[in-house]
Amino acid sequence: MRILFLCLLTLADTHGQVAQTRFVEEPEDQTVVAGQRIILSCVVLNYSGIVQWTKDGLALGMGQGLKAWPRYRIVGTADSGQYNLEITDAELSDDAVYECQATEAALRSRQAKLTVLIPPEDPTIDGAPEILLRAGTLYNLTCRARNAKPAATIVWYRDGLQQDGAITSTEVLADGKRETTTSQLAINPTDLDIGRVFSCRSTNDAIPVGKETFVKLNVHHPPTVTLSIQPQTVQEGERVVFTCMATANPEIKGYRWAKGGVIIEDAKENKYDTQVDYTFFTEPVSCEVHNDIGSTNVSTLVDVHFAPRIVVDPKPTITDIGSDVTLTCVWSGNPPLTLTWTKKESNMVLSNSNQLYLKSVTQADAGQYVCKAIVPRIGVGEREVTLFVNGPPIISSEAVQYAVRGDRGKVECFIGSTPPPDRIAWAWKENILEAGTLERYTVERTNTGSGVLSTLTINNVMDADFQTRYNCTAWNSFGPGTAIIQLEEKEVLPVGIIAGATIGASILVISFLVALACFLYRRRKGSRKDVTLRKLDIKVETVNREPLTLHADREEDTASVSTATRVMKAIYSSFKDDVDLKQDLRCDTIDTREEYELKDPTNGYYNVRAHEDRPSSRTVLYADYRNPGPARYDTRPPSRLSHSSGYAQLNTYSRGPTSDYNTEAAPGPGPPPGTAGGETASQLSYENYGGHTAFPAGTGYATYRLGYGQPPSLDRAPYDAYDPMGKYASATRFSYTSQHSDYGQRFQQRMQTHV
């Protein structure tokens, strides 16, 4: 385009216009980065003379090759009028003002400023690549970017995040063109900064992307401690474990424990196991850990649940009537306690705070107050405090007092108010006595812990003394107080009545103990087998078909065997121990009857035919022994046991007709006194026992014989002889009834219910 433009100008001049020399292009201000190439333009029209460039007013030379400036040269052709200045590998020295001159035409171009940009050198951080710091000590990270033109800009980063607050300064170098930039970032290192990386990045126009450098932190710090408790909430007296977790750089050197500021000598490790009390709630437990850098101490309180404990005891207070009073009581407890103020022997709550405020007190306000603290589900504590209200004497004795006629009597006058009385006087009838003795009367004054007691003692109390009123008057600085006391006669029980009541009570106690012993003894008796029980309307029969002999494969009831043995003794022995035997049997029967007494379960239903005659049957009756002659023994004493209630039917075979046996019974005495005739079956009766040659009748024994009635429902043949020593000797059946059973009555019909 330029060549075309010049050709057109030449043609125009050729066509007759007058030629004129001038700059078609002039150099302009430019910027170049050091090391790069730059061209300054200069085009002169209609000029064929010398063109040169100046640098800061200094001519660079003529011709295309500027030998004095090896990196400079003129580019273009004279024919086209181009005289451009080319600079390669720009340097800081190229930073200057350039001008193009056509000397023969006396033309000078405008001045052009060439600015050479120089990037900063690689930034540096003081102490890099790793800086050792101390936790808690402020430190300035310093980054420098040197020899930059223009001055470099520095930005800080921490783990890739830009940091603000850095302070930057620049320094101009000796050439006046380059600068060094310094940036400082203040940090307060902690143990969390260990291994953290900081970087600084420097930039300027020559290098927009900038240059970056890094530094790593190594922070020495005293131990970082965490103190924990397990369990966190405990009851007083339980055990807890304190754990001291710590990290440090450099390593931990040791642990030290304290409670309330007092060193615990036996705790040296990172754990402390102890039993806690209420003091752990107010006195902290501390753990101190140290290393070469320093030590760290942490402490904590224990959430101990404990009953109320007094902190500030209430103090007794003395005040005057009309004054205001404040009673103070401070408790501690955990969980938070509830505090109440009450007056003793009253349930009215006066305050729920540590202080009880009483306004314009009277003597009625005097007394003991209770400060009670309650920790729910833990415990209760209370303190009593006495309030004394100064005022006139208050006499608190009973208005009616007692004495025994003819004895020494006392009339007492007690003053418990404050201040104590200065005087106390007794007056009765026309007599006045403050102290000492007057005829039968004596006045004594005694100081007790709660007040003053004045006692009027009367010797040989008479009827007139019970008709007299006694006036007790006391004085103190606040005035007098008076009480009227009446003496009445006291009745005294005679000594004989007291002694009799004592003896009667002793007898009752002894009787009770004896009855209790008998009851316990009877309960220890074993239950009896082979017993027939009855009530008036119900007949209950239990039958034991077990043999008397003890089998090897099982054990028999001891009581049954013992009873059977006694029966055999009664039948076969010489009866020299009959009396003892009867007593044993009587005891057994009484126990059995009491243990098996039953109520009528049918309510009399089966008693409908009790009046009819019973079927003809025979029972074995053992008449009491008597001695009609040399062949008989003395009559046995009457027994309450019948055959049915005490002894056995000695076999299980069917019984023969009545006629087959001798029905003659040994004669016996009549019923004992007090026994109905119908109860003769309750006495022991013995029939002649016959049919066996082992027991012949003779002078040594009475003749005994067993008779059996054949039950109507059984069709079994009678047997003639009973062999107690043979095959069926053990097949004995026992049948018992109670004392009043009518089962032993002959020829009487009965209805029975088996239960």
Side-chain angles (χ1 to χ4, degrees), residues 23-67:
F23 287 103
V24 177
E25 289 186 15
E26 296 181 62
E28 297 178 354
D29 294 343
Q30 294 190 53
T31 300
V32 65
V33 177
Q36 294 181 355
R37 170 177 169 270
I38 187 67
I39 295 177
L40 299 176
S41 299
C42 182
V43 178
V44 183
L45 183 63
N46 298 325
Y47 182 73
S48 60
I50 298 172
V51 176
Q52 67 174 2
W53 285 87
T54 63
K55 175 182 177 183
D56 291 337
L58 178 63
L60 298 179
M62 294 179 296
Q64 290 186 344
L66 302 176
K67 296 181 180 180

Side-chain angles (χ1 to χ4, degrees), residues 23-257:
F23 287 103
V24 177
E25 289 186 15
E26 296 181 62
E28 297 178 354
D29 294 343
Q30 294 190 53
T31 300
V32 65
V33 177
Q36 294 181 355
R37 170 177 169 270
I38 187 67
I39 295 177
L40 299 176
S41 299
C42 182
V43 178
V44 183
L45 183 63
N46 298 325
Y47 182 73
S48 60
I50 298 172
V51 176
Q52 67 174 2
W53 285 87
T54 63
K55 175 182 177 183
D56 291 337
L58 178 63
L60 298 179
M62 294 179 296
Q64 290 186 344
L66 302 176
K67 296 181 180 180
W69 308 91
R71 296 181 295 106
Y72 294 4
R73 72 185 182 94
I74 302 297
V75 294
T77 62
D79 295 339
S80 61
Q82 293 181 349
Y83 301 93
N84 299 328
L85 176 63
E86 179 186 59
I87 303 173
T88 58
D89 297 329
E91 296 178 355
L92 181 60
S93 60
D94 299 330
D95 189 273
V97 176
Y98 292 87
E99 186 181 74
C100 178
Q101 298 177 353
T103 59
E104 293 180 2
L107 294 176
R108 302 174 71 177
S109 69
R110 64 174 176 266
Q111 293 182 347
K113 172 63 177 174
L114 178 62
T115 301
V116 178
L117 303 179
I118 300 177
E121 296 177 1
D122 291 340
T124 60
I125 299 176
D126 295 351
E130 182 174 292
I131 302 175
L132 180 60
L133 304 177
R134 182 166 183 169
T137 302
L138 290 175
Y139 184 80
N140 289 324
L141 292 176
T142 303
C143 178
R144 290 182 174 85
R146 295 178 174 86
N147 303 324
K149 184 178 180 296
T153 299
I154 297 177
V155 179
W156 285 96
Y157 296 89
R158 185 184 74 173
D159 292 338
L161 299 177
Q162 183 174 338
Q163 302 295 297
D164 298 327
I167 299 175
T168 303
S169 62
T170 59
E171 179 185 1
V172 179
L173 299 183
D175 56 21
K177 295 183 178 181
R178 292 175 300 166
E179 296 177 279
T180 296
T181 303
T182 301
S183 178
Q184 291 185 329
L185 178 65
I187 61 172
N188 186 9
T190 66
D191 57 328
L192 300 178
D193 293 324
I194 297 176
R196 195 177 299 281
V197 175
F198 283 80
S199 64
C200 75
R201 179 180 299 169
S202 62
T203 62
N204 69 356
D205 294 340
I207 180 169
V209 296
K211 296 180 180 180
E212 192 171 13
T213 188
F214 302 89
V215 67
K216 184 177 182 180
L217 302 187
N218 182 13
V219 182
H220 278 188
H221 63 91
T224 301
V225 182
T226 301
L227 183 58
S228 62
I229 308 173
Q230 188 63 32
Q232 295 182 353
T233 301
V234 295
Q235 299 288 337
E236 186 174 21
E238 295 181 349
R239 302 192 70 84
V240 298
V241 178
F242 297 87
T243 302
C244 196
M245 301 298 296
T247 58
N249 184 24
E251 64 183 5
I252 295 171
K253 295 297 184 180
Y255 298 84
R256 185 169 63 176
W257 292 88

